[in-house]
Amino acid sequence: MDGDSVTVREILTELGDTWAVVGLSRNTSRPAYGVAQVLQRYGKRIVPVHPKAETVHGERGYASLADIPFSVDVVDVFVNSALAGPVADEAVAIGAQAVWFQLGVVDEAAYERTRAAGLRMVMDRCPAIEIPRLD
């Protein structure tokens, strides 16, 4: 249920290159920081989403998904599982095409809601691990 390999490939190669990374800050010790770097290396535009709205990796940050003034293709979620469901709901509300819950982020109900809304969804996986496997 975590997102089959076809869904992983679709999200990483077909859905567009603008990724909102929820939980991304300038804290270099956080996993989101390194994952965002990998996504950039593979040609993705990352959009930091964090309450501090910091600029990270040269990209302007926003306090919430709703504050982003352009379309987002994928919402990559680096928040506690208890907070992930509302982020997935926001992703649906802004018209994203996919939601990616990072390793350790699991919310079965959010997965079902997001899929029912027509978005592709991956849960408990990391794009920085998956994207090099596509080469």
Side-chain angles (χ1 to χ4, degrees):
M1 176 175 272
D2 61 348
D4 59 50
S5 59
V6 171
T7 302
V8 167
R9 180 174 289 280
E10 283 178 349
I11 292 172
L12 291 171
T13 65
E14 298 173 21
L15 292 189
D17 292 331
T18 303
W19 286 55
V21 184
V22 179
L24 175 58
S25 71
R26 284 185 276 196
N27 183 342
T28 59
S29 67
R30 303 288 300 170
Y33 190 88
V35 170
Q37 273 186 316
V38 171
L39 289 170
Q40 280 187 319
R41 243 189 341 261
Y42 279 87
K44 307 299 182 191
R45 176 185 184 190
I46 58 107
V47 182
V49 179
H50 188 278
K52 293 181 182 176
E54 298 174 327
T55 296
V56 184
H57 300 310
E59 293 287 346
R60 178 182 171 196
Y62 296 89
S64 72
L65 290 173
D67 291 340
I68 301 171
F70 47 84
S71 64
V72 168
D73 302 307
V74 181
V75 175
D76 190 7
V77 182
F78 277 95
V79 299
N80 182 297
S81 293
L83 304 173
V87 175
D89 296 337
E90 288 177 49
V92 172
I94 67 163
Q97 297 182 62
V99 174
W100 191 300
F101 280 7
Q102 281 294 325
L103 287 172
V105 180
V106 176
D107 182 331
E108 302 288 344
Y111 181 92
E112 294 301 327
R113 284 195 312 274
T114 303
R115 297 287 295 156
L119 281 70
R120 289 172 186 84
M121 173 104 186
V122 172
M123 186 166 60
D124 195 25
R125 291 174 83 160
C126 179
I129 293 170
E130 301 296 337
I131 202 165
R133 294 176 178 170
L134 301 176
D135 290 341

